[in-house]
Amino acid sequence: MGNLTSYPKGALEWAAIFLAVAILIMALFGGWFTPYDPLQIDFRGKLQPPSGEHWLGTDGSGRDVLSRLMAGAQLTILSTLVVIAVVLVIGCAIGITSAFVGGWLDNLLMRLADIWLGFPPLILALGFAAALGSSLEAAIWALIFSWWPNYARLSRMITNDILSEPFVAGATALGVPTWRKVVFYVIPNAFDVLIIQVTLDISAVMLAISGLSFIGVGAQIPAPEWGAMIAGGRAHAGSAWWVVMVPGLAIFVTALAFNIIGDMLRRELDPTTRRRA
Amino acid sequence: MSVRDDPLLRLDRVSVALRQGGREMVSGVSLSVGRRELFGIVGESGSGKTLFTRTVFGLHDDAVVSGGEVTFDGRTMPAKSHHTEMKRLLGKRIGFIPQDPFSSLNPSMRVGAQITEALYLARGLSPKSREARDAAIAVLAEVGIPEPDIAFRQFPDQFSGGMRQRIVIAIVLAQEPELLIADEPTTALDASTQRLIVDLIVERSRTRGLSVILISHNLELLRQSMDRIGVLYSGQFLNLFQADQLAHQEVHPYTQALFDCIPTKDKTLADIRPIPGEPAGAGFGLAGCSFADRCAFAKDRCCATPLPINDAGQARFSACIIGKGA
Amino acid sequence: MSEPMVTLEGVGKTFASRALVRTRSFALSDVDMVVNKGEIVGILGESGSGKSTVANIITRLLKHDAGTYRFKGRDVTGYSKAELMAFKSDVQIVFQDPYGSLNPRATIRNIVRESLIIHRPDLTRAQQDDRVSELMFEVGLGGQDIDRYPHEFSGGQRQRIAIARAMAVEPELLVCDEPLSSLDVSIQAQVLELFTRLIRDHDLTMVFITHDLNVARLLCDRVYVMFQGRVVESGAAREVLNNPQQEYTASLLEAVY
């Protein structure tokens, strides 16, 4: 955690960091500063190419694409972050418990995670859509349910590695209580690996949410979610490229930026290169 | 005398630098290794002993010989193609025994095949021939493997660490080298096996008339088993002396201090005198003696005066600026 | 004869697949061992002889599954929670690997202070800080910036920090598992000197696990020689190491430089 800023980074990494920060700011505040109402229909002004008035053009119902993109960032990225935050907390709680307690509980939880991993997220999402109705919430629930085992297994593995280090044995010899071991020994040392996984998963979850929305299981069409925007613009893709290209590029660039950051963190925080400096 | 006049290996002011960035890690090493001579190189971790030896003998790709001359059997290596020339000698005239016998043998290849492969590469013997097989079994017997004809057909993981290191030595001996390089050949092994392996290397080299360069952090091990010893400290070549004279003759202050802090059989607690401070590590390009800040005899000029450089022909040498052990 | 601090009688251990501490040791069988107050006891043997397992059993990092272990006359298996905490402040351990034995994510101050947080909750923050400085001075790291992380220190310095952490609770028994063997020769001598000073100043009882017979000869009053999970020879260090009765001990001695 300490000296991230001291690592040399290339132009690509700086660009990715800049983009990621810009996108996050847009996700948090962009919805309030849209030039037009993202849902305002104007059939007379439909499918206008990018111009001074509509920077990124308008879609098949005459809605301003830039406004929809900015509002959509909130939907897409905030729901991604919600999914990640929830699976991180649940997964780590299960994984760390599993590693500390061991024995039958460990076996039970890990077999449960294995079985869970066997469910394809798409089928789960269809199930949730059937139960809750097709909506962004259904997609979020589906992703939470299919993603937590990844973090449970990862955090269990890291915790087991940390528990086998002599410094933890030293803590045991000292009588350090379990909660203190989790807070001061396990979590700080697991942080690197987890943050890398989170960064890489941001793009994966975002693609999944957009993908689910695109096929109609997630956010529904008038909503400016990026995947749903592409789905809504499909009919005009041939004549009005911006309707699908703009949200498509947004998804692509965001996923790429977080992937680059994830790869960079993986390189820089790799314990084999950092240790015994 | 004759040993000095016609050495097998002669290093003259050899320096080694990192390929990337060109930082000089070890500088000014001048020494010669005579035919049939057992030569030890001692140094603590970070002294540059492993990097230096590996680079000089073409075993290391990250560093290059950046200065000085390396002469093997009368032939001086051209500076430009040092690495490739050395690689040509490796496995034929120069044999290398690595640290870790657990990772230096191919786990999926039978012991016999690994030896006959070496025989083929070094001497052109057909791997399937009767002759290669007999030679391989003979060399396994030579290094003390019990039932060598059975071992020939076994895999490395069926042997203990000590036995594996014997197999590695057998592979190297099969190449019939003239010079044997061993880099800490016993650190991965148990204490009780350590001496057996070193003794085996010494005894086989004496019998076969090989020259040996043995790298170790253990000065006492080298003192008891080698003919002469060279001392590296923080990338500087500090001392060169006859091993059997170590306890009787004045040597470089670092060598003496190192000798004084090793627990040996006949020392009491009062005899152990730790060296204060920490080794500086290699590659800092210090102006004077890198040991000066830990040295009991250091004077002001030790930190500023360039180190004396050895003439490669000398059998004894001390790079002490104030003349200790010279 | 002074009172025994540690008594192992017929102690055995068979390993399940997962061990708390990474060791290559086999099971222990029928180990009898006594450590008297004020004694420096060496446990000698090669890797796999079970000597680290004994260290882990004495410090209760591992539970033995046969025989009895009494600490100051009381069977440790019957400890109450309070007794166990008292035991953990009486017995401390120093490990071989100075790189793995300090939490890489904690500052040196917090690493050493940890012992005080657990066992001396009566101390104020300022008193703890004073005690930490005192300990750092005692292990020869006085004047160092202790708000740095372990990776900013050398191997020898880390081992001193590990010793400071162990000494913070003023243990009666210090178990050292190969504390010198991953250090450089010149640093080994420094740490050896530190140990002798601590033994003298604190009236420490020590179990010193090593494969280096020369170090054992210098430091230990009595030694146990282990081979394949059993004690094969024991006695006064001088006698065992100068006049071994067992062939195995003799072969170990022969291999020493």
Side-chain angles (χ1 to χ4, degrees):
Chain A
M1 288 178 286
N3 40 5
L4 262 181
T5 47
S6 66
Y7 288 109
K9 298 177 194 85
L12 185 69
E13 278 84 0
W14 278 116
I17 292 169
F18 176 77
L19 265 174
V21 171
I23 291 164
L24 284 176
I25 290 173
M26 188 163 81
L28 285 175
F29 308 111
W32 302 334
F33 298 101
T34 53
Y36 299 91
D37 181 345
L39 295 175
Q40 181 65 52
I41 293 175
D42 174 13
F43 283 111
R44 277 172 301 170
K46 71 173 189 178
L47 296 176
Q48 285 182 23
S51 64
E53 206 173 332
H54 296 283
W55 289 3
L56 295 176
T58 60
D59 70 1
S61 306
R63 292 171 293 222
D64 180 51
V65 174
L66 176 63
S67 301
R68 289 176 62 73
L69 192 72
M70 289 167 75
Q74 203 159 22
L75 283 181
T76 307
I77 291 174
L78 291 189
S79 39
T80 302
L81 293 182
V82 166
V83 171
I84 296 273
V86 173
V87 295
L88 182 69
V89 170
I90 294 177
C92 288
I94 291 175
I96 293 175
T97 309
S98 199
F100 264 90
V101 177
W104 67 268
L105 186 69
D106 185 23
N107 268 325
L108 178 76
L109 290 173
M110 287 305 115
R111 292 303 79 78
L112 213 59
D114 285 342
I115 293 167
W116 229 280
L117 273 179
F119 281 115
L122 186 62
I123 307 293
L124 264 175
L126 288 171
F128 274 99
L132 304 175
S134 281
S135 64
L136 191 55
E137 287 80 66
I140 290 175
W141 279 115
L143 283 171
I144 288 173
F145 266 84
S146 52
W147 223 282
W148 71 265
N150 295 321
Y151 282 88
R153 294 172 55 96
L154 180 70
S155 59
R156 172 184 173 270
M157 194 189 76
I158 308 168
T159 308
N160 267 335
D161 279 354
I162 295 169
L163 290 184
S164 68
E165 292 277 345
F167 69 82
V168 178
T172 309
L174 208 54
V176 173
T178 305
W179 70 266
R180 234 186 128 79
K181 275 195 206 159
V182 174
V183 175
F184 292 107
Y185 292 75
V186 172
I187 290 177
N189 285 293
F191 188 81
D192 288 359
V193 185
L194 288 174
I195 200 75
I196 294 165
Q197 193 58 40
V198 162
T199 328
L200 293 172
D201 274 359
I202 284 179
S203 52
V205 169
M206 199 185 71
L207 286 173
I209 288 182
S210 298
L212 289 175
S213 298
F214 177 78
I215 61 168
V217 186
Q220 293 305 295
I221 276 188
E225 198 284 325
W226 293 351
M229 281 170 74
I230 301 179
R234 249 180 317 178
H236 314 291
S239 54
W241 55 267
W242 56 91
V243 179
V244 290
M245 281 296 272
V246 166
L249 267 177
I251 293 171
F252 172 72
V253 167
T254 311
L256 190 65
F258 280 100
N259 251 323
I260 291 172
I261 294 173
D263 272 346
M264 179 192 72
L265 289 174
R266 174 153 53 189
R267 261 197 322 275
E268 307 293 5
L269 298 175
D270 184 352
T272 55
T273 58
R274 190 196 54 216
R275 249 178 149 191
R276 310 193 175 191
Chain B
M1 277 309 278
S2 62
V3 171
R4 292 278 85 72
D5 296 340
D6 177 29
L8 180 65
L9 177 79
R10 186 183 160 100
L11 306 184
D12 193 14
R13 291 157 209 230
V14 173
S15 299
V16 159
L18 296 183
R19 197 180 284 275
Q20 215 167 16
R23 187 152 80 145
E24 194 164 279
M25 297 302 285
V26 179
S27 45
V29 179
S30 291
L31 57 88
S32 55
V33 178
R35 291 170 201 278
R36 292 176 201 81
E37 186 176 29
L38 309 184
F39 192 91
I41 295 181
V42 72
E44 296 178 77
S45 55
S47 63
K49 59 184 190 302
T50 294
L51 179 79
F52 177 77
T53 319
R54 285 179 169 241
T55 308
V56 165
F57 293 105
L59 287 152
H60 206 294
D61 289 330
D62 297 338
V64 289
V65 173
S66 56
E69 274 184 358
V70 178
T71 310
F72 183 78
D73 196 20
R75 205 175 104 66
T76 301
M77 298 290 146
K80 281 215 178 79
S81 55
H82 178 94
H83 196 71
T84 34
E85 293 270 332
M86 267 301 171
K87 281 216 153 142
R88 206 169 297 155
L89 294 174
L90 269 179
K92 296 189 176 72
R93 302 185 65 187
I94 300 175
F96 178 69
I97 302 170
Q99 262 185 29
D100 181 4
F102 294 92
S103 58
S104 56
L105 290 170
N106 182 345
S108 61
M109 201 169 157
R110 288 176 203 277
V111 167
Q114 300 195 46
I115 301 178
T116 52
E117 187 187 33
L119 284 166
Y120 170 70
L121 293 171
R123 288 154 58 188
L125 288 184
S126 164
K128 295 276 174 229
S129 69
R130 184 71 204 233
E131 196 188 356
R133 195 192 130 87
D134 290 346
I137 291 176
V139 80
L140 280 173
E142 187 182 339
V143 296
I145 302 274
E147 301 183 286
D149 44 339
I150 295 173
F152 185 87
R153 278 179 278 116
Q154 285 177 308
F155 286 95
D157 62 359
Q158 291 167 282
F159 296 90
S160 69
M163 282 297 152
R164 283 190 214 200
Q165 196 60 303
R166 284 172 192 270
I167 293 169
V168 173
I169 294 170
I171 293 173
V172 174
L173 288 179
Q175 301 159 353
E176 300 192 344
E178 292 152 66
L179 174 63
L180 207 63
I181 318 277
D183 181 8
E184 301 262 16
T186 58
T187 36
L189 304 176
D190 267 328
S192 62
T193 327
Q194 173 169 288
R195 194 179 194 118
L196 296 173
I197 295 295
V198 173
D199 286 353
L200 175 72
I201 292 174
V202 167
E203 189 230 340
R204 284 300 93 205
S205 306
R206 293 259 192 248
T207 316
R208 287 176 166 239
L210 309 183
S211 305
V212 173
I213 294 179
L214 180 68
I215 308 170
S216 176
H217 64 278
N218 188 336
L219 182 57
E220 184 62 16
L221 179 156
L222 294 178
R223 184 180 82 88
Q224 289 186 28
S225 47
M226 296 288 113
D227 297 330
R228 271 194 313 145
I229 298 172
V231 181
L232 276 176
Y233 180 80
S234 294
Q236 293 181 334
F237 185 61
L238 292 189
N239 204 184
L240 188 65
F241 54 89
Q242 293 288 335
D244 54 6
Q245 292 300 306
L246 179 54
H248 314 290
Q249 208 170 42
E250 193 186 47
V251 286
H252 188 282
Y254 172 61
T255 315
Q256 191 61 50
L258 195 59
F259 190 54
D260 287 341
C261 71
I262 309 173
T264 54
K265 277 180 184 164
D266 32 61
K267 280 185 191 165
T268 66
L269 212 44
D271 296 327
I272 308 283
R273 287 185 289 274
I275 313 176
E278 305 250 353
F284 291 102
L286 297 174
C289 176
S290 51
F291 185 60
D293 62 333
R294 303 173 76 189
C295 181
F297 306 101
K299 307 244 187 305
D300 284 346
R301 63 195 153 103
C302 289
C303 299
T305 321
L307 276 195
I309 294 280
N310 184 27
D311 163 10
Q314 297 288 318
R316 268 190 73 206
F317 166 69
S318 169
C320 184
I321 288 163
I322 55 168
K324 286 259 172 199
Chain C
M1 198 76 189
S2 47
E3 63 177 292
M5 185 168 282
V6 170
T7 320
L8 301 183
E9 271 167 21
V11 162
K13 173 80 193 166
T14 30
F15 268 125
S17 56
R18 219 179 77 182
L20 183 58
V21 178
R22 267 179 234 155
T23 47
R24 282 212 301 149
S25 16
F26 302 128
L28 287 187
S29 45
D30 207 19
V31 169
D32 293 328
M33 211 173 267
V34 174
V35 181
N36 293 310
K37 196 166 165 39
E39 249 186 342
I40 312 302
V41 171
I43 303 181
L44 312 177
E46 298 177 89
S47 57
S49 61
K51 59 189 195 304
S52 287
T53 311
V54 173
N56 289 332
I57 285 174
I58 292 178
T59 49
R60 299 291 284 150
L61 288 172
L62 284 176
K63 290 189 169 72
H64 57 286
D65 45 28
T68 50
Y69 167 19
R70 283 197 299 275
F71 183 74
K72 294 203 268 191
R74 172 102 165 79
D75 190 330
V76 295
T77 44
Y79 271 164
S80 68
K81 240 187 165 139
E83 280 176 308
L84 188 62
M85 280 313 275
F87 172 85
K88 289 191 168 186
S89 107
D90 283 345
V91 182
Q92 278 302 302
I93 185 162
V94 174
F95 295 99
Q96 168 178 0
D97 175 15
Y99 291 92
S101 59
L102 303 177
N103 184 354
R105 289 296 187 216
T107 61
I108 302 310
R109 182 194 301 278
N110 286 336
I111 286 171
V112 179
R113 207 163 62 95
E114 186 84 344
S115 323
L116 302 171
I117 292 173
I118 306 289
H119 293 287
R120 298 296 304 277
D122 53 309
L123 296 183
T124 65
R125 177 78 202 238
Q127 285 172 316
Q128 289 176 349
D129 277 345
D130 286 349
R131 176 83 180 115
V132 171
S133 315
E134 197 182 299
L135 283 159
M136 296 307 282
F137 192 79
E138 177 155 29
V139 298
L141 290 175
Q144 294 273 349
D145 177 8
I146 55 171
D147 288 312
R148 289 184 295 161
Y149 290 86
H151 71 263
E152 297 173 69
F153 291 83
S154 69
Q157 289 174 322
R158 288 182 195 215
Q159 202 57 300
R160 288 171 189 273
I161 294 162
I163 294 167
R165 179 186 64 176
M167 292 300 293
V169 286
E170 296 171 57
E172 294 182 45
L173 174 66
L174 189 62
V175 177
C176 301
D177 188 357
E178 298 268 15
L180 304 178
S181 54
S182 58
L183 303 175
D184 258 323
V185 183
S186 70
I187 308 301
Q188 275 187 21
Q190 292 176 3
V191 177
L192 188 63
E193 191 182 49
L194 172 61
F195 275 126
T196 53
R197 190 156 48 76
L198 291 176
I199 291 166
R200 193 187 57 215
D201 294 353
H202 293 267
D203 204 15
L204 268 181
T205 307
M206 195 185 274
V207 172
F208 198 89
I209 286 141
T210 182
H211 67 269
D212 189 334
L213 303 194
N214 287 328
V215 170
R217 193 196 318 267
L218 292 175
L219 204 60
C220 300
D221 302 318
R222 275 189 317 117
V223 293
Y224 289 86
V225 181
M226 294 195 64
F227 179 60
Q228 294 187 348
R230 290 170 186 277
V231 173
V232 291
E233 187 165 3
S234 64
R238 204 166 303 130
E239 270 168 39
V240 172
L241 296 174
N242 290 338
N243 187 19
Q245 298 303 306
Q246 296 295 320
E247 203 178 315
Y248 177 71
T249 315
S251 77
L252 277 184
L253 275 162
E254 227 164 79
V256 164
Y257 279 99

